[in-house]
Amino acid sequence: MIYKTVRVFVFLAVVVVVALLVRNLAAPKGPQLQSGFGGSRIVMGTFANITAVAADDKTIKASIDAAFEKLVEVDEMMSDYKAGSELSAVNRDAFAKPVKVSDELFEVLKASVDYSRKTQGAFDITVGPVVELWRRTEKDGTKPGEKELAQAKARVGYEKLILDEKNKTVRFAVESMKLDLGGIAKGYAIDLAIEEMKKAHAAGGLVDVGGDMRCFGASPKFDNIWRVGLEDPSGASRYLLVLKLSDAAIATSGDYRRFVMVDDKRYSHIIDPATTASAGELTSVTVIAARAMDADALATAVSVMGRTKGLQLIESIDNAEAIVIPADKKLELVKTSGADAYIRK
Ligand code: AMP
Ligand code: MG
């Protein structure tokens, strides 16, 4: 009897061990991933969409929430629309006295000046006084006059922006200067939001703020490739092409996204700081780079520089590519030499 009981025990033990082995062999190595879309929220005056890939719902939600929080935080710091932002304090006080700023704002100001140098002044965040005049046009439909543009231009120029690296202060050399981070802050915010997602243990993610975006790691198809459509600037709701991105960023600038109409003519919200004219040669400029801040600033710069000089600049930068659409020949795509590698065939 006792032998029979032992035999039953041994038999049951073997069954349990075999069952456990089968289960372990069947289980995939590492955690099973799932993806989650965090929904659209309005941040930085546009729609932000965040997707996360992670082992469980909790991690997906936590990483999406952390990313949205960071976007809002950067907007609170760098918006020139918000009277209480750090940037607004700089714009108000920096001629009277040096204004101490956060490490984040200082980093963006420094990067902006670097981009001004790299682009011979095509990218210039001191363009604020001119942008302000064009914003008035948006409201009342009248083009800025020669005289007021000339007055505004006297307050533009990155060499008039005095940055003190040691004390993290900003000062204006000329009265009534105005900084506008509209061409770079979105990209910077996206980079920080991606860092937050990584810290929150997402295995992959994509942060999209108004069409500027960066992705990393595992994609919703779990193949590490994020497929991103490039919008048709003519207004038709279709994609001109699909880009395949892995751990990369893209930004698109162009007059089809934001513009003002005066006497049936379209004026871009991007300004050539050298002439104060609105940049009109390119309808759409998409730049691919490792960081969203670089893609963002470069896309704005290429819009000002135009097809020839702009594409030359991007060719000279490692790991950056551009796809542009000239305004004269609608929908003709002009690309840098390495751009095809990102385009889905
Ligand atoms: P984006 O959509 O990134 O090209 O940014 C365009 C915004 O950048 C404009 O709405 C202005 O706020 C600002 N901006 C306009 N012209 C310039 C320029 N030449 N350099 C830097 N920022 C600019
Ligand atoms: Mg930009």
Side-chain angles (χ1 to χ4, degrees):
M1 181 64 190
I2 184 135
Y3 284 119
K4 204 172 166 193
T5 313
V6 168
R7 273 214 309 272
V8 170
F9 255 126
V10 170
F11 177 73
L12 281 178
V14 169
V15 168
V16 170
V17 168
V18 169
L20 283 175
L21 271 175
V22 167
R23 213 187 79 177
N24 279 343
L25 287 174
K29 290 186 180 67
Q32 279 273 37
L33 293 177
Q34 42 186 301
S35 72
F37 175 59
S40 274
R41 300 188 203 171
I42 292 183
V43 193
M44 308 186 111
T46 183
F47 286 102
N49 305 295
I50 301 180
T51 303
V53 178
D56 52 70
D57 284 343
K58 220 174 125 201
T59 311
I60 287 174
K61 187 176 178 312
S63 62
I64 290 173
D65 286 347
F68 270 124
E69 241 171 69
K70 190 51 91 174
L71 294 179
V72 171
E73 205 182 289
V74 174
D75 190 25
E76 300 289 327
M77 256 183 238
M78 303 190 188
S79 166
D80 63 307
Y81 285 97
K82 294 191 158 87
S85 73
E86 248 195 292
L87 187 71
S88 292
V90 168
N91 283 337
R92 206 172 42 236
D93 302 332
F95 179 65
K97 56 173 200 262
V99 177
K100 177 131 177 84
V101 298
S102 62
D103 289 353
E104 288 89 347
L105 181 55
F106 197 86
E107 192 185 340
V108 173
L109 298 181
K110 204 169 155 245
S112 296
V113 172
D114 284 347
Y115 271 113
S116 293
R117 295 202 180 104
K118 264 190 206 143
T119 63
Q120 289 89 47
F123 183 85
D124 192 334
I125 57 169
T126 67
V127 80
V130 181
V131 171
E132 207 164 61
L133 291 177
W134 285 100
R135 273 190 199 156
R136 195 199 62 203
T137 302
E138 213 165 348
K139 285 200 196 103
D140 66 14
T142 58
K143 250 179 81 177
E146 295 288 321
K147 203 169 152 208
E148 51 185 354
L149 281 172
Q151 280 167 353
K153 188 167 182 277
R155 290 137 57 200
V156 174
Y158 65 94
E159 66 293 338
K160 302 183 181 92
L161 182 63
I162 305 159
L163 300 180
D164 180 340
E165 174 105 52
K166 204 166 123 248
N167 299 309
K168 300 265 158 60
T169 62
V170 189
R171 187 146 200 197
F172 293 159
V174 171
E175 202 166 359
S176 303
M177 284 173 65
K178 185 172 183 238
L179 304 183
D180 177 339
L181 296 178
I184 191 168
K186 268 199 253 111
Y188 180 73
I190 292 169
D191 288 334
L192 293 193
I194 288 282
E195 287 314 310
E196 290 301 314
M197 295 186 82
K198 289 180 182 171
K199 273 192 230 157
H201 306 293
L206 181 136
V207 177
D208 162 11
V209 183
D212 291 355
M213 49 187 108
R214 178 169 167 180
C215 59
F216 77 98
S219 66
K221 286 192 173 175
F222 311 115
D223 59 357
N224 288 22
I225 297 172
W226 294 82
R227 291 153 185 88
V228 171
L230 190 67
E231 259 177 68
D232 180 341
S234 72
S237 59
R238 64 177 185 122
Y239 292 131
L240 284 184
L241 49 85
V242 175
L243 297 169
K244 296 197 308 186
L245 303 175
S246 302
D247 294 302
I250 66 161
T252 301
S253 289
D255 67 2
Y256 76 100
R257 304 197 135 224
R258 274 196 59 196
F259 56 86
V260 290
M261 297 288 295
V262 185
D263 301 334
D264 290 335
K265 198 173 165 342
R266 204 150 100 160
Y267 293 93
S268 162
H269 60 123
I270 299 173
I271 305 300
D272 181 347
T275 62
T276 69
S278 140
E281 188 187 322
L282 302 171
T283 293
S284 161
V285 175
T286 296
V287 171
I288 305 168
R291 294 190 309 172
M293 179 169 75
D294 297 327
D296 192 0
L298 287 170
T300 307
V302 171
S303 297
V304 172
M305 296 171 88
R307 173 176 170 166
T308 310
K309 279 194 178 163
L311 291 184
Q312 263 169 15
L313 169 77
I314 302 297
E315 288 287 4
S316 75
I317 298 173
D318 278 347
N319 301 320
E321 301 297 339
I323 302 167
V324 308
I325 304 176
D328 50 354
K329 293 183 199 130
K330 285 276 181 312
L331 304 191
E332 181 208 9
L333 297 172
V334 190
K335 297 171 272 187
T336 51
S337 55
D340 276 333
Y342 294 96
I343 298 174
R344 190 172 72 179
K345 302 288 167 318

